Amino acid sequence: MSEKPSLEARLRGPFEGPNTIGNSRRFWLSFVLGTALLAVYPVLFGAYAAESTSVYLVYGLLGVSLAFIWGFCGILSFGQVAFFGVAGYAFGIVSINLASYTGATLGVLTGVAVATLLAALLGYFMFYGGVRDVYVTIITLVVALVLHTFMGQTAGSQWAIGEAALGGFNGMVGVPDLAIGFGTAGLEFAGAMHYYVTLLVLVATVLGLRALVNSQFGYAMVATREDEARTEMFGYNTTFIKFATFTIGGALAGLSGVLFVTWGNYIDPSEFAITAAAMPVIWASIGGRESFVGTIAAAVVIQRIQIGLTGEWALVVVGSLLVIVILAMPDGIAPRVGDAVDYLRNRGGGEPAEPPTATEEVSD
């Protein structure tokens, strides 16, 4: 008679597998501890500090949307900010014109739906049109820059949708806070509550994506990344796999855009600019594109550096950090941290090392 798995094993099981970094008890203890510290952050430092920090978690979610498609399916996209910005503008247009809980709720749904639809249309024409590799990267960057140029010339009263003025480079102002409800009954999430909603969304997204990349679909994603022709030979529809992965990544970027615009109550075309488009790539490159937690940590630290070092020095420091990490650790910092922990654990005779990643299994 086989022994029943423990409660801990049953809880960890859906979120572990060869495609994710961090499958040990020590990782999960660190994950729970980190989440608990983030949860008590508003209690320790106050509502204003929590509200200010909320935007870093939003950037972390945007970085996760790229890590998912780039790290596990090999799709390098500079267009995550396009979905991010489009969702933000869509939320603003709906919620300003329907100034009620119903409008805010419809704004959330519309923002995510518009970003998902844009990602699906772009992904359909790219992947079913035979566009691959670096050309996908170029097209996604061009889409973001076209949106930047278009939205920049929307100043003037003629560029308004109902009560919502697009505002050109001055941006759209007066966007309501995040809220959910119907009519005059609902819940509004401002200040520290926005922080908690963002944290909840971020943790749920990380856990959900860990489960997805360790599913049969996730194995197909990694196989497509490693050798698309061989994966097709085994009967997998790699075009659909890339299309679906890219669309999911666009939806997540759109969700982060909604959280961003409800945090600052404002959005402008700079969210589509080339600097903004490069930031998710930098976060994933430094943190580790196959590590959701590493990408989130990199997004938080790098954005904090950017705000602390205003002006050109911020770009110099971030650029130098990117070059150093790429040269010394091409896979990012998180995998090297995992290797160091495994080394120290083996020397101390502790918990056995984690199973090999999917890449190592393929190379074997």
Side-chain angles (χ1 to χ4, degrees):
M1 185 175 177
S2 60
E3 186 178 350
K4 291 181 63 175
S6 65
L7 176 61
E8 178 189 337
R10 281 182 286 168
L11 290 174
R12 288 168 42 183
F15 312 111
E16 292 186 345
N19 290 338
T20 45
I21 298 173
N23 296 311
S24 64
R25 171 180 287 182
R26 192 166 303 184
F27 167 82
W28 287 110
L29 287 175
S30 302
F31 184 85
V32 171
L33 178 61
T35 304
L37 289 175
L38 288 173
V40 300
Y41 182 82
V43 179
L44 297 176
F45 298 97
Y48 178 76
E51 183 177 5
S52 303
T53 306
S54 183
V55 70
Y56 299 123
L57 302 183
V58 172
Y59 287 135
L61 182 60
L62 177 61
V64 165
S65 75
L66 176 66
F68 172 65
I69 66 173
W70 185 23
F72 296 92
C73 203
I75 304 170
L76 174 55
S77 167
F78 275 80
Q80 297 308 100
V81 292
F83 315 129
F84 178 90
V86 164
Y89 273 102
F91 176 87
I93 292 169
V94 174
S95 59
I96 288 175
N97 283 289
L98 299 173
S100 64
Y101 286 115
T102 306
T105 304
L106 290 176
V108 173
L109 298 175
T110 304
V112 176
V114 169
T116 305
L117 181 61
L118 177 61
L121 285 173
L122 184 60
Y124 177 82
F125 286 111
M126 286 195 304
F127 300 123
Y128 284 94
V131 179
R132 299 184 179 205
D133 303 328
V134 69
Y135 299 103
V136 172
T137 306
I138 294 172
I139 289 176
T140 53
L141 176 59
V142 169
V143 168
L145 296 182
V146 167
L147 287 170
H148 175 254
T149 303
F150 176 78
M151 295 306 299
Q153 56 85 47
T154 58
S157 57
Q158 71 274 24
W159 289 101
I161 301 175
E163 299 294 324
L166 299 182
F169 283 112
N170 292 325
M172 178 184 287
V173 298
V175 179
D177 291 329
L178 182 66
I180 292 178
F182 183 78
T184 58
L187 294 174
E188 187 170 314
F189 305 101
M193 289 305 297
H194 187 281
Y195 172 90
Y196 280 119
V197 170
T198 307
L199 177 62
L200 179 63
V201 169
L202 187 59
V203 172
T205 300
V206 169
L207 293 177
L209 291 182
R210 284 183 65 97
L212 181 59
V213 299
N214 285 310
S215 67
Q216 291 299 319
F217 183 77
Y219 292 153
M221 287 172 58
V222 174
T224 302
R225 179 196 67 188
E226 293 297 314
D227 193 329
E228 185 173 347
R230 182 185 293 183
T231 307
E232 273 189 343
M233 189 177 69
F234 281 107
Y236 290 94
N237 187 344
T238 57
T239 302
F240 174 77
I241 291 169
K242 291 190 294 184
F243 165 76
T245 303
F246 188 76
T247 303
I248 294 172
L252 292 175
L255 180 57
S256 64
V258 170
L259 292 171
F260 174 80
V261 76
T262 54
W263 170 77
N265 307 112
Y266 170 81
I267 190 168
D268 65 36
S270 66
E271 302 307 327
F272 300 111
I274 190 167
T275 304
M279 294 313 297
V281 178
I282 294 174
W283 303 333
S285 299
I286 293 178
R289 59 184 177 271
E290 295 178 40
S291 170
F292 299 126
V293 175
T295 299
I296 293 169
V300 172
V301 172
I302 291 172
Q303 289 308 113
R304 188 69 188 85
I305 290 174
Q306 276 209 316
I307 292 177
L309 298 173
T310 56
E312 300 300 324
W313 277 109
L315 296 177
V316 171
V317 171
V318 172
S320 301
L321 183 62
L322 176 64
V323 171
I324 293 171
V325 170
I326 292 298
L327 291 176
M329 296 173 280
D331 295 329
I333 294 176
R336 294 294 172 266
V337 172
D339 293 342
V341 171
D342 286 342
Y343 173 76
L344 294 174
R345 187 168 48 200
N346 291 335
R347 286 193 62 183
E351 188 180 355
E354 294 182 11
T357 64
T359 305
E360 291 168 338
E361 289 183 340
V362 171
S363 64
D364 289 341

